[in-house]
Amino acid sequence: MPGVVGYLAVDPTSVTYLQWQADSTGSLKGTENSATVTGAPPDSSVKTGTTSCYGQISGTSVTIDIGLHTDHGVLSGASLTLNVAQPDGSIRPIAYRRATPSDYNGALATLNSTMQHTDARAQNVSDQAKAISKLTSDYQALGQQKSRFKGDLSSLNSDLGTATYDLSSEHADEKKAITEAHNGTDNNTMCSDANSVEGDANGVEGDANGLSGDLNSTKDDLASARSSISTLASDLQAVQQGDPGFSGTADAPAPGAVSQAIADARKAISQAVRTANSGIDQMNDVVATAHTYAVDAANAGNCNPPNAAASAIDHIT
């Protein structure tokens, strides 16, 4: 009885190895080892399987039953061609060559390696697309965060304007109380008016508390912008690591635009801090002046002194 023979067919997505032994009548029995790439990059894999096969050799003609299908073909020296039914119903000739199990193992290793490299390339493309998308999103977000400073500073200016107006009203009340003291107005009336001046001072301190509350939003926006600057710089580094020659796309900003956005944001942060601290200084002066008015009114009428002045608001950084 002839020995075992093997035939190998290889294409970009599969490897098939037929191995059989035929008796003197041409009746053959063996196995089909197959390996097929399944899935799509970057998540493809190689599926392997073994199926028994049976058939008949008559001269150069070959008929093989493999699983649920029967293939017909021709043997010619070291070559085998089988007409194999395809999933779409068509019949396609598949060319095999004489090969050993070692040849099959080598072809399988090559298929696995090719699949892994294809997956890696596809993953790199996917990762780069995600990195560019993140760069674009964070670039836009930084611009939006920078614009919030205008609203923050507008709120601070509004607080300061209200405090300045209240201080003006308090000053008028203080002058009235001092004038009454000079005119010898009844002490009870005098101290009542002095208490009104202190009430005005408390209102100014309330305005200062409002500014302190608004400062918390300013601080949060500054911290968010600083974090976004760091994130955007990291985004650009990640994109350039994947593509050193990256120069931007129709949707994604170029490196120069990113660098400019970061520089502009840092400048806006510095300006916002300076402006906010200037407002803080003005508010502290208003509060101190308001307390002075309250003290002067109380002293003019020999009334109880007002509460201690509120603590100054600290600068932001």
PDB file of all heavy atoms in Angstrom, residues 167 170-171 174 201 283-296:
ATOM      1  N   LEU A 167     -21.285 101.628  49.139  1.00  0.00           N
ATOM      2  CA  LEU A 167     -20.367 102.460  49.915  1.00  0.00           C
ATOM      3  C   LEU A 167     -20.744 103.938  49.789  1.00  0.00           C
ATOM      4  O   LEU A 167     -20.678 104.703  50.767  1.00  0.00           O
ATOM      5  CB  LEU A 167     -18.930 102.246  49.423  1.00  0.00           C
ATOM      6  CG  LEU A 167     -17.856 103.075  50.142  1.00  0.00           C
ATOM      7  CD1 LEU A 167     -17.751 102.658  51.611  1.00  0.00           C
ATOM      8  CD2 LEU A 167     -16.498 102.924  49.431  1.00  0.00           C
ATOM      9  N   GLU A 170     -23.598 104.560  52.027  1.00  0.00           N
ATOM     10  CA  GLU A 170     -23.139 104.566  53.417  1.00  0.00           C
ATOM     11  C   GLU A 170     -22.439 105.883  53.748  1.00  0.00           C
ATOM     12  O   GLU A 170     -22.612 106.444  54.852  1.00  0.00           O
ATOM     13  CB  GLU A 170     -22.181 103.392  53.674  1.00  0.00           C
ATOM     14  CG  GLU A 170     -21.707 103.333  55.119  1.00  0.00           C
ATOM     15  CD  GLU A 170     -20.538 102.387  55.326  1.00  0.00           C
ATOM     16  OE1 GLU A 170     -20.015 101.849  54.330  1.00  0.00           O
ATOM     17  OE2 GLU A 170     -20.126 102.197  56.494  1.00  0.00           O
ATOM     18  N   HIS A 171     -21.648 106.359  52.805  1.00  0.00           N
ATOM     19  CA  HIS A 171     -20.930 107.615  53.037  1.00  0.00           C
ATOM     20  C   HIS A 171     -21.915 108.757  53.293  1.00  0.00           C
ATOM     21  O   HIS A 171     -21.693 109.628  54.163  1.00  0.00           O
ATOM     22  CB  HIS A 171     -20.050 107.937  51.836  1.00  0.00           C
ATOM     23  CG  HIS A 171     -19.029 108.998  52.111  1.00  0.00           C
ATOM     24  ND1 HIS A 171     -18.338 109.632  51.104  1.00  0.00           N
ATOM     25  CD2 HIS A 171     -18.599 109.576  53.274  1.00  0.00           C
ATOM     26  CE1 HIS A 171     -17.514 110.533  51.632  1.00  0.00           C
ATOM     27  NE2 HIS A 171     -17.665 110.510  52.973  1.00  0.00           N
ATOM     28  N   GLU A 174     -23.162 108.354  56.726  1.00  0.00           N
ATOM     29  CA  GLU A 174     -22.121 108.726  57.698  1.00  0.00           C
ATOM     30  C   GLU A 174     -22.064 110.255  57.859  1.00  0.00           C
ATOM     31  O   GLU A 174     -21.982 110.785  58.986  1.00  0.00           O
ATOM     32  CB  GLU A 174     -20.765 108.192  57.229  1.00  0.00           C
ATOM     33  CG  GLU A 174     -19.620 108.567  58.165  1.00  0.00           C
ATOM     34  CD  GLU A 174     -18.374 109.028  57.427  1.00  0.00           C
ATOM     35  OE1 GLU A 174     -18.495 109.381  56.228  1.00  0.00           O
ATOM     36  OE2 GLU A 174     -17.297 109.038  58.033  1.00  0.00           O
ATOM     37  N   ALA A 201     -22.393  99.236  56.254  1.00  0.00           N
ATOM     38  CA  ALA A 201     -21.083  98.579  56.171  1.00  0.00           C
ATOM     39  C   ALA A 201     -21.254  97.069  56.063  1.00  0.00           C
ATOM     40  O   ALA A 201     -20.528  96.391  55.315  1.00  0.00           O
ATOM     41  CB  ALA A 201     -20.233  98.945  57.388  1.00  0.00           C
ATOM     42  N   MET A 283     -12.041  95.716  46.121  1.00  0.00           N
ATOM     43  CA  MET A 283     -13.087  95.311  47.059  1.00  0.00           C
ATOM     44  C   MET A 283     -12.596  95.409  48.500  1.00  0.00           C
ATOM     45  O   MET A 283     -13.331  95.867  49.388  1.00  0.00           O
ATOM     46  CB  MET A 283     -13.550  93.893  46.747  1.00  0.00           C
ATOM     47  CG  MET A 283     -14.674  93.397  47.669  1.00  0.00           C
ATOM     48  SD  MET A 283     -16.206  94.374  47.545  1.00  0.00           S
ATOM     49  CE  MET A 283     -16.969  93.585  46.126  1.00  0.00           C
ATOM     50  N   ASN A 284     -11.357  94.974  48.740  1.00  0.00           N
ATOM     51  CA  ASN A 284     -10.809  95.084  50.094  1.00  0.00           C
ATOM     52  C   ASN A 284     -10.757  96.549  50.544  1.00  0.00           C
ATOM     53  O   ASN A 284     -11.039  96.865  51.705  1.00  0.00           O
ATOM     54  CB  ASN A 284      -9.409  94.470  50.154  1.00  0.00           C
ATOM     55  CG  ASN A 284      -9.434  92.946  50.110  1.00  0.00           C
ATOM     56  OD1 ASN A 284     -10.431  92.326  50.479  1.00  0.00           O
ATOM     57  ND2 ASN A 284      -8.340  92.343  49.666  1.00  0.00           N
ATOM     58  N   ASP A 285     -10.392  97.437  49.620  1.00  0.00           N
ATOM     59  CA  ASP A 285     -10.363  98.863  49.955  1.00  0.00           C
ATOM     60  C   ASP A 285     -11.764  99.378  50.272  1.00  0.00           C
ATOM     61  O   ASP A 285     -11.951 100.172  51.221  1.00  0.00           O
ATOM     62  CB  ASP A 285      -9.778  99.665  48.792  1.00  0.00           C
ATOM     63  CG  ASP A 285      -8.272  99.480  48.643  1.00  0.00           C
ATOM     64  OD1 ASP A 285      -7.640  99.011  49.610  1.00  0.00           O
ATOM     65  OD2 ASP A 285      -7.743  99.796  47.555  1.00  0.00           O
ATOM     66  N   VAL A 286     -12.753  98.940  49.492  1.00  0.00           N
ATOM     67  CA  VAL A 286     -14.139  99.372  49.727  1.00  0.00           C
ATOM     68  C   VAL A 286     -14.611  98.900  51.097  1.00  0.00           C
ATOM     69  O   VAL A 286     -15.233  99.655  51.860  1.00  0.00           O
ATOM     70  CB  VAL A 286     -15.057  98.845  48.610  1.00  0.00           C
ATOM     71  CG1 VAL A 286     -16.528  99.046  48.981  1.00  0.00           C
ATOM     72  CG2 VAL A 286     -14.759  99.554  47.292  1.00  0.00           C
ATOM     73  N   VAL A 287     -14.323  97.634  51.433  1.00  0.00           N
ATOM     74  CA  VAL A 287     -14.744  97.083  52.730  1.00  0.00           C
ATOM     75  C   VAL A 287     -14.060  97.829  53.870  1.00  0.00           C
ATOM     76  O   VAL A 287     -14.696  98.162  54.894  1.00  0.00           O
ATOM     77  CB  VAL A 287     -14.429  95.572  52.800  1.00  0.00           C
ATOM     78  CG1 VAL A 287     -14.656  95.036  54.212  1.00  0.00           C
ATOM     79  CG2 VAL A 287     -15.294  94.807  51.804  1.00  0.00           C
ATOM     80  N   ALA A 288     -12.760  98.102  53.718  1.00  0.00           N
ATOM     81  CA  ALA A 288     -12.025  98.836  54.767  1.00  0.00           C
ATOM     82  C   ALA A 288     -12.586 100.238  54.936  1.00  0.00           C
ATOM     83  O   ALA A 288     -12.748 100.740  56.064  1.00  0.00           O
ATOM     84  CB  ALA A 288     -10.549  98.873  54.415  1.00  0.00           C
ATOM     85  N   THR A 289     -12.889 100.887  53.810  1.00  0.00           N
ATOM     86  CA  THR A 289     -13.452 102.241  53.880  1.00  0.00           C
ATOM     87  C   THR A 289     -14.833 102.214  54.528  1.00  0.00           C
ATOM     88  O   THR A 289     -15.171 103.092  55.340  1.00  0.00           O
ATOM     89  CB  THR A 289     -13.541 102.842  52.468  1.00  0.00           C
ATOM     90  OG1 THR A 289     -12.238 102.886  51.891  1.00  0.00           O
ATOM     91  CG2 THR A 289     -14.124 104.256  52.519  1.00  0.00           C
ATOM     92  N   ALA A 290     -15.636 101.191  54.192  1.00  0.00           N
ATOM     93  CA  ALA A 290     -16.970 101.068  54.781  1.00  0.00           C
ATOM     94  C   ALA A 290     -16.874 100.924  56.295  1.00  0.00           C
ATOM     95  O   ALA A 290     -17.671 101.511  57.047  1.00  0.00           O
ATOM     96  CB  ALA A 290     -17.703  99.877  54.174  1.00  0.00           C
ATOM     97  N   HIS A 291     -15.898 100.134  56.747  1.00  0.00           N
ATOM     98  CA  HIS A 291     -15.724  99.970  58.191  1.00  0.00           C
ATOM     99  C   HIS A 291     -15.297 101.296  58.833  1.00  0.00           C
ATOM    100  O   HIS A 291     -15.764 101.651  59.931  1.00  0.00           O
ATOM    101  CB  HIS A 291     -14.688  98.889  58.474  1.00  0.00           C
ATOM    102  CG  HIS A 291     -14.467  98.637  59.941  1.00  0.00           C
ATOM    103  ND1 HIS A 291     -15.412  98.045  60.737  1.00  0.00           N
ATOM    104  CD2 HIS A 291     -13.409  98.928  60.760  1.00  0.00           C
ATOM    105  CE1 HIS A 291     -14.964  97.960  61.986  1.00  0.00           C
ATOM    106  NE2 HIS A 291     -13.747  98.490  62.020  1.00  0.00           N
ATOM    107  N   THR A 292     -14.435 102.035  58.152  1.00  0.00           N
ATOM    108  CA  THR A 292     -13.986 103.333  58.669  1.00  0.00           C
ATOM    109  C   THR A 292     -15.157 104.289  58.828  1.00  0.00           C
ATOM    110  O   THR A 292     -15.277 105.015  59.827  1.00  0.00           O
ATOM    111  CB  THR A 292     -12.932 103.941  57.734  1.00  0.00           C
ATOM    112  OG1 THR A 292     -11.793 103.075  57.679  1.00  0.00           O
ATOM    113  CG2 THR A 292     -12.486 105.314  58.223  1.00  0.00           C
ATOM    114  N   TYR A 293     -16.068 104.303  57.836  1.00  0.00           N
ATOM    115  CA  TYR A 293     -17.260 105.152  57.924  1.00  0.00           C
ATOM    116  C   TYR A 293     -18.091 104.778  59.146  1.00  0.00           C
ATOM    117  O   TYR A 293     -18.611 105.659  59.865  1.00  0.00           O
ATOM    118  CB  TYR A 293     -18.115 105.014  56.666  1.00  0.00           C
ATOM    119  CG  TYR A 293     -17.538 105.625  55.412  1.00  0.00           C
ATOM    120  CD1 TYR A 293     -18.019 105.288  54.149  1.00  0.00           C
ATOM    121  CD2 TYR A 293     -16.508 106.563  55.471  1.00  0.00           C
ATOM    122  CE1 TYR A 293     -17.499 105.850  52.992  1.00  0.00           C
ATOM    123  CE2 TYR A 293     -15.978 107.133  54.318  1.00  0.00           C
ATOM    124  CZ  TYR A 293     -16.477 106.765  53.091  1.00  0.00           C
ATOM    125  OH  TYR A 293     -15.978 107.321  51.946  1.00  0.00           O
ATOM    126  N   ALA A 294     -18.244 103.460  59.376  1.00  0.00           N
ATOM    127  CA  ALA A 294     -19.050 103.002  60.513  1.00  0.00           C
ATOM    128  C   ALA A 294     -18.394 103.410  61.830  1.00  0.00           C
ATOM    129  O   ALA A 294     -19.076 103.833  62.779  1.00  0.00           O
ATOM    130  CB  ALA A 294     -19.232 101.493  60.449  1.00  0.00           C
ATOM    131  N   VAL A 295     -17.068 103.294  61.902  1.00  0.00           N
ATOM    132  CA  VAL A 295     -16.342 103.690  63.117  1.00  0.00           C
ATOM    133  C   VAL A 295     -16.476 105.192  63.349  1.00  0.00           C
ATOM    134  O   VAL A 295     -16.734 105.663  64.482  1.00  0.00           O
ATOM    135  CB  VAL A 295     -14.858 103.284  63.021  1.00  0.00           C
ATOM    136  CG1 VAL A 295     -14.059 103.917  64.167  1.00  0.00           C
ATOM    137  CG2 VAL A 295     -14.719 101.776  63.044  1.00  0.00           C
ATOM    138  N   ASP A 296     -16.322 105.995  62.299  1.00  0.00           N
ATOM    139  CA  ASP A 296     -16.406 107.447  62.421  1.00  0.00           C
ATOM    140  C   ASP A 296     -17.792 107.877  62.907  1.00  0.00           C
ATOM    141  O   ASP A 296     -17.928 108.790  63.749  1.00  0.00           O
ATOM    142  CB  ASP A 296     -16.099 108.115  61.085  1.00  0.00           C
ATOM    143  CG  ASP A 296     -14.621 107.995  60.699  1.00  0.00           C
ATOM    144  OD1 ASP A 296     -13.819 107.649  61.582  1.00  0.00           O
ATOM    145  OD2 ASP A 296     -14.292 108.240  59.521  1.00  0.00           O
TER     146      ASP A 296
END
